[in-house]
Amino acid sequence: MTLEASRTVPRPPTAKKAPTTRKSSLHRLRAKGSDRGEDLSAFVLPRYLDREGFTSRPVNKDGLVGLLVTGTIAPGRADWCDPLSILTGQPVAEENRTSLALFLVRTENSVYGITYGMGHLMIDPVRIDPGFGIEFAVRCLKEDRITKVRRQVMDARGRTDENSATSGEHIRGFGIEQFGEIVSQISGQIENVPLTFTTGNKRPAHVTGNDRSIKIHLGNSPAALLHDLQEIEEVCARPNPLPEFEFIAQVRPLGPKSEQAQKLDVRLDAMLGEGQTSRMALAVPSVCREHFEFAESFKVTLAGHAGQHAELDVDQLVAAVQRRPEGGRLRALREGRIQMFSSTDDSEANSGKVPVDHWFTAEVPDGVAHYFYWQGKWYEIGAEYLTVVEQRVADLLAQPASVTMPPWTIEMCETGERCGVPQGHKRHNVHDEDWYNKEVAAQDRYVLLDKNNVHTERLRGGGLEIADALGPQGQFICVKKAASSTAPLNHLFAQGRTGIETVRFDLQARKDFLSKVDKLSPRHALDRSFSSPTLVFGILLKNGAELTPDSLFAFAKISLLHTATALEGMGARLEVVSISRTAETGMARATTG
């Protein structure tokens, strides 16, 4: 056998198999009215259809009907070239280039936009269905394979949280509250959806659903893409979310330029003109939450006027825009600005200038659904969600309490007489909280704790007020005059929850607290183990209104339920007391949960 005969002939390289799918962002778009045959170019912002370097082409291939829009934005030298040249002494001349592609696809049921690069910028935002991503995800995600959750707390705290689990965990592990938390993004593994990606593929499919789109592997051929869109439509057509995710679908944001949001803007503008503040309140924006407690004054620039204020009040904001022309009241709130200061004047700013409407919340009922304006956006709350919230709050307000709360009366006139306080009579005011706390503590076996702070190393010397008063059986009593703002109630709920957590879990704080109680009231009937403490919220609403599910503002209800859930987890009992303003009613009606 010769050397040549034994030589192995090399095989030609195997061609790399083209991928059958690609992870893409999919938007569901809404037609105007009932026109299902609307020109697809109407879903694209006109400036991209007419822009130099952009092209739009109709598509009709193997049953796939749509419109393809592509282009590249090249604005010239990057803005960092000059400073980098100066810094290094070397010439730098690089260019930014941004590519955009949008493929609009029409099916029998809907129009979809598949985006590549920055292609989502070309979609008219009014046309995007904001509920699509979450609607799909909560109908097919595996509850024990969730990888990421982004959520916002829908109360005056304005907090946004994002939690991830690389390998996935159960939805319950993310600690989502079932009341008042808006899930704006959720990611995880899906099941029972026969997509092209899962055909003959041992790897599970994943999806990220948010309030604008879903990110998922879609087929690369016309037939495969149409198949995947059909499977996605079948998932969305399922009548209900999976049980573990049902509460998520009850709250959804509305697109700011959507038809429903614009109708709600008109209704809210009319409410502002009528001065209807019963369903309005203040809420601290997310960007101001950290420094809000240190604010000594607020500069309000609104409707052409600027002023420094020691406190904010929703009536003050509404009055500033109430007499403006129809359609201009809500716009004035959006154009106005509020800035916080650590000083009583404008010498020490501790926040930026935040739009006034971000401090403003409102509730607008509309048939079976309710809508909330919160931090400049509209949210729709489903009827079932509201029913559960109302019932739980009603349960908290249905039982007798274990403490007596005296009436919170009107202070004396200059003549020394108590009278019937006519509307607008500025010389007659409700006594302040300092006065009321002393009234509570004047009762037999009650103890005044107001301003008697506990100091520990963990509290970094600042101290903490555990409660305003101690009840005869060791009840922790926290008091608040709520007036017309949600913020004081959120502060009340946070104070009570933090106080219980501190005496239960901080040994040094517990010792300091017990030492103070022993000095004030030796042999007080206080359970020193704090294994099942009782927390009492005493609340005086505006005009002495009775505490009911209807008289509590919606976001206050949500904060109350959050607090009740946290206290229940600590073995604590919560009581809520509605305080009367007049002595004629005798003891205030007390409620508990």
Side-chain angles (χ1 to χ4, degrees):
M1 186 172 170
T2 65
L3 180 61
E4 289 186 2
S6 64
R7 183 181 299 159
T8 302
V9 179
R11 295 181 180 180
T14 304
K16 188 176 180 180
K17 188 177 179 180
T20 58
T21 65
R22 178 184 175 84
K23 201 163 195 178
S24 308
S25 294
L26 179 69
H27 302 73
R28 187 170 66 191
L29 309 179
R30 298 186 293 191
K32 285 187 176 179
S34 58
D35 184 9
R36 292 193 174 183
E38 188 177 6
D39 191 324
L40 291 177
S41 62
F43 295 90
V44 186
L45 290 170
R47 63 177 178 270
Y48 291 101
L49 294 172
D50 304 331
R51 186 169 184 147
E52 183 179 355
F54 279 68
T55 59
S56 60
R57 291 148 285 175
V59 173
N60 191 339
K61 180 185 179 184
D62 299 336
L64 189 64
V65 178
L67 178 70
L68 176 62
V69 186
T70 61
T72 299
I73 299 174
R77 280 164 52 92
D79 62 0
W80 42 262
C81 291
D82 289 341
L84 188 55
S85 297
I86 295 171
L87 176 67
T88 62
Q90 303 293 328
V92 180
E94 304 298 339
E95 188 178 73
N96 281 323
R97 296 179 66 84
T98 303
S99 58
L100 300 86
L102 168 64
F103 183 29
L104 296 165
V105 180
R106 192 191 304 276
T107 69
E108 292 184 4
N109 300 311
S110 299
V111 171
Y112 296 93
I114 307 171
T115 62
Y116 305 86
M118 300 297 287
H120 62 276
L121 297 176
M122 294 192 285
I123 302 176
D124 185 344
V126 174
R127 300 305 194 95
I128 295 176
D129 185 345
F132 171 55
I134 300 297
E135 175 187 326
F136 173 78
V138 298
R139 283 167 169 77
C140 62
L141 281 168
K142 295 184 71 173
E143 71 272 11
D144 57 350
R145 288 292 183 270
I146 307 302
T147 56
K148 182 183 289 185
V149 172
R150 180 186 299 155
R151 62 190 189 272
Q152 295 170 294
V153 180
M154 203 172 70
D155 64 10
R157 291 173 290 172
R159 192 186 73 229
T160 299
D161 291 332
E162 184 171 302
N163 302 97
S164 301
T166 305
S167 59
E169 65 176 85
H170 200 283
I171 184 64
R172 289 194 294 268
F174 288 87
I176 303 174
E177 278 279 1
Q178 295 199 12
F179 301 100
E181 290 202 347
I182 303 165
V183 174
S184 56
Q185 179 175 306
I186 186 167
S187 306
Q189 189 180 126
I190 64 177
E191 62 179 353
N192 300 325
V193 186
L195 299 170
T196 302
F197 179 80
T198 60
T199 302
N201 193 339
K202 294 182 179 179
R203 290 186 300 158
H206 286 76
V207 65
T208 295
N210 59 40
D211 52 11
R212 293 175 61 85
S213 65
I214 60 175
K215 195 161 190 177
I216 195 170
H217 277 92
L218 296 173
N220 283 343
S221 70
L225 176 58
L226 289 172
H227 165 80
D228 290 342
L229 292 178
Q230 182 180 1
E231 294 299 331
I232 289 170
E233 289 181 343
E234 288 184 1
V235 170
C236 292
R238 295 172 186 174
N240 298 303
L242 297 169
E244 293 284 353
F245 302 99
E246 194 167 11
F247 69 95
I248 294 176
Q250 289 292 324
V251 181
R252 71 185 192 100
L254 300 179
K257 296 184 179 180
S258 67
E259 184 178 352
Q260 183 61 41
Q262 292 179 16
K263 288 181 179 178
L264 291 167
D265 282 353
V266 172
R267 288 190 59 183
L268 180 53
D269 188 85
M271 289 169 60
L272 290 168
E274 296 165 2
Q276 297 179 13
T277 60
S278 61
R279 292 187 177 272
M280 302 177 187
L282 296 180
V284 182
S286 303
V287 294
C288 299
R289 180 64 267 173
E290 184 177 353
H291 301 291
F292 175 72
E293 294 183 2
F294 305 103
E296 292 294 332
S297 66
F298 304 84
K299 186 174 183 179
V300 180
T301 305
L302 179 61
H305 301 280
Q308 203 83 10
H309 304 272
E311 294 183 356
L312 294 178
D313 184 86
V314 70
D315 293 308
Q316 160 199 350
L317 302 182
V318 173
V321 301
Q322 185 175 355
R323 299 188 182 279
R324 295 183 72 84
E326 181 179 338
R329 305 169 192 119
L330 180 55
R331 184 170 66 248
L333 291 180
R334 289 170 172 164
E335 294 173 352
R337 294 294 183 267
I338 294 177
Q339 187 172 20
M340 301 191 305
F341 293 86
S342 300
S343 54
T344 55
D345 54 19
D346 60 0
S347 61
E348 297 180 37
N350 68 355
S351 82
K353 298 177 181 179
V354 179
V356 174
D357 72 313
H358 286 211
W359 288 83
F360 175 85
T361 67
E363 175 188 4
V364 179
D366 185 16
V368 297
H370 272 55
Y371 299 91
F372 294 94
Y373 192 76
W374 180 69
Q375 296 209 74
K377 294 181 181 179
W378 284 106
Y379 291 83
E380 180 181 354
I381 313 296
E384 293 180 10
Y385 180 98
L386 284 171
T387 299
V388 174
V389 169
E390 293 289 319
Q391 186 57 55
R392 284 208 52 185
V393 171
D395 291 344
L396 280 172
L397 305 178
Q399 306 291 332
S402 61
V403 297
T404 301
M405 302 297 286
W408 196 324
T409 58
I410 305 298
E411 65 181 347
M412 296 293 184
C413 300
E414 290 181 350
T415 60
E417 297 178 355
R418 194 182 302 275
C419 67
V421 192
Q423 200 77 16
H425 196 311
K426 295 183 179 179
R427 293 182 180 177
H428 304 83
N429 300 299
V430 179
H431 283 100
D432 62 18
E433 290 180 14
D434 179 68
W435 173 89
Y436 186 76
N437 289 332
K438 291 175 181 176
E439 289 288 299
V440 173
Q443 301 176 103
D444 185 35
R445 294 182 297 146
Y446 286 69
V447 180
L448 180 65
L449 298 175
D450 186 27
K451 300 181 180 63
N452 198 344
N453 292 1
V454 168
H455 297 268
T456 70
E457 293 180 3
R458 186 179 67 85
L459 298 172
R460 298 180 181 178
L464 174 70
E465 184 179 280
I466 300 297
D468 294 311
L470 201 63
Q473 301 301 320
Q475 300 95 329
F476 294 84
I477 302 173
C478 297
V479 172
K480 187 61 65 177
K481 181 174 67 173
S484 59
S485 171
T486 301
L489 289 180
N490 281 280
H491 176 78
L492 172 71
F493 302 151
Q495 176 198 2
R497 174 176 173 173
T498 303
I500 295 297
E501 288 175 339
T502 300
V503 296
R504 276 183 56 83
F505 304 120
D506 188 325
L507 181 59
Q508 185 180 355
R510 184 190 303 183
K511 289 180 178 178
D512 189 16
F513 176 72
L514 289 173
S515 175
K516 291 179 182 294
V517 173
D518 288 341
K519 290 179 181 178
L520 293 167
S521 179
R523 297 183 298 277
H524 191 280
L526 171 68
D527 177 10
R528 294 169 176 263
S529 71
F530 300 108
S531 58
S532 56
T534 296
L535 173 64
V536 180
F537 289 139
I539 300 172
L540 175 69
L541 292 181
K542 186 178 182 181
N543 298 324
E546 184 180 355
L547 198 60
T548 68
D550 290 334
S551 62
L552 271 178
F553 189 70
F555 296 142
K557 298 177 196 176
I558 290 166
S559 290
L560 177 60
L561 293 181
H562 278 199
T563 304
T565 301
L567 291 168
E568 183 180 359
M570 290 186 281
R573 180 171 181 264
L574 175 62
E575 300 178 358
V576 186
V577 178
S578 179
I579 302 174
S580 168
R581 256 179 44 173
T582 59
E584 285 74 15
T585 60
M587 175 179 164
R589 181 189 173 195
T591 56
T592 184

